[in-house]
Amino acid sequence: MTALSSVWGVSVLMIVSVGLLIATGVLAWRATRLQRQQAHCVTQWQRQRQAQAEAKREAEALGLLADMAQLAEATVKGGTLTVASVHESITAIPFEVLQAIPATRYVATEARAAHHQVSSLVYGLVLAANQLVGKGLREVIGEDASKSKPDKRA
């Protein structure tokens, strides 16, 4: 019985050893799989951070572009109104002189009216074109681009 019990003991020991070996293999396989999953998660997280940073840069660029478009539109409008006013003031001088002379009064009055109509039309067209371009830019950029700038502290 002693030989039988030692064979039995060795068999049990071998079975336990094989079980431990299999368990070690399974654990090693699971650890390798977990490492791959962790690496995949890290990669996905890094991609998400890059996408968020890119979205933030894009929002900032759109906000800046909207601000520049608004400034350009206001500058063209202000410049056009200023030029129109100065033009009117300068052209008033010769027309007043010509209207003061009885022989040229009628022609000068008609010429002044025609000049005023044409210049008003031209400056009006410049202002209308400026408004249309500004509206188009706001539609392309997005109406809220300048209003919803991302917080630079974020």
Side-chain angles (χ1 to χ4, degrees):
M1 274 232 216
T2 56
L4 187 59
S5 49
S6 76
V7 169
W8 176 255
V10 169
S11 295
V12 168
L13 195 59
M14 284 183 66
I15 290 172
V16 169
S17 296
V18 169
L20 287 174
L21 186 62
I22 291 171
T24 302
V26 168
L27 288 175
W29 174 77
R30 294 277 315 225
T32 303
R33 191 168 173 227
L34 285 173
Q35 284 176 338
R36 273 191 254 134
Q37 288 174 343
Q38 179 188 21
H40 177 74
C41 287
V42 168
T43 301
Q44 291 298 96
W45 177 75
Q46 288 171 339
R47 286 181 183 161
Q48 184 63 30
R49 283 191 58 199
Q50 289 172 347
Q52 288 172 342
E54 183 63 27
K56 182 180 177 184
R57 283 190 297 274
E58 184 178 316
E60 289 171 352
L62 282 176
L64 181 60
L65 187 58
D67 288 348
M68 290 180 357
Q70 185 179 22
L71 178 61
E73 185 178 0
T75 301
V76 169
K77 180 180 180 180
T80 302
L81 293 174
T82 301
V83 168
S85 176
V86 169
H87 182 192
E88 176 119 8
S89 298
I90 291 172
T91 58
I93 297 168
F95 283 125
E96 287 172 4
V97 169
L98 290 172
Q99 285 175 318
I101 302 169
T104 59
R105 181 174 295 141
Y106 178 76
V107 174
T109 302
E110 293 298 314
R112 185 177 197 173
H115 177 269
H116 180 70
Q117 285 178 340
V118 169
S119 65
S120 294
L121 177 66
V122 169
Y123 291 121
L125 288 173
V126 170
L127 291 172
N130 183 48
Q131 280 183 321
L132 285 174
V133 169
K135 182 180 179 186
L137 282 172
R138 284 188 297 279
E139 288 175 2
V140 169
I141 295 169
E143 290 283 341
D144 299 332
S146 62
K147 296 175 189 167
S148 63
K149 291 181 197 167
D151 188 1
K152 293 189 185 214
R153 293 173 286 165

